[in-house]
Amino acid sequence: MRAKRIAAIVMSVFMVLSLLPSAVFAAAVSTLEGQVKINGNATPGTTLSADLNGVKPEGISEDSVSYVWSRKAASDTDNRNITELSREKTYSVTQDDVGSKILLTITGLEDKGYTGSL
């Protein structure tokens, strides 16, 4: 009789634990918001970098996002001719970039707790 009571108590504890929401144990994921800016002058031979000060959540680090640097012709209004240039944290401007727009897209790394792109 005593063994049945102990088994009933143990089963009750397991049942209560199984009812807890799994989100209690999951890490929160933050979506990128705000605006990323490009630091530097877009002249051949210079290096451009990302300014994450306008990106939320505040305090996001350079290692929490991926980078895609691209180029498009200034006359390209419908974004049909975009050329990917680099996936590094910085980009060195070349002579081929003259007369074009340089674009930077950052994307939050899910394994660092971030999602979304700017």
Side-chain angles (χ1 to χ4, degrees), residues 50-67:
D51 178 355
L52 302 179
N53 288 328
V55 177
K56 294 180 183 177
E58 293 180 13
I60 191 167
S61 70
E62 292 179 343
D63 296 328
S64 299
V65 296
S66 65
Y67 302 83

Side-chain angles (χ1 to χ4, degrees), residues 10 37 65 80 111:
V10 170
K37 294 182 182 178
V65 296
R80 287 189 181 188
D111 63 335

Side-chain angles (χ1 to χ4, degrees), residues 13-22:
V13 169
F14 284 130
M15 186 174 70
V16 169
L17 289 176
S18 70
L19 295 175
L20 289 175
S22 61

Side-chain angles (χ1 to χ4, degrees), residues 4 14 32 38-39 49 88 90 99 104 110:
K4 288 184 180 182
F14 284 130
L32 297 182
I38 297 175
N39 287 332
S49 62
E88 302 296 322
T90 60
L104 170 60
E110 288 188 33

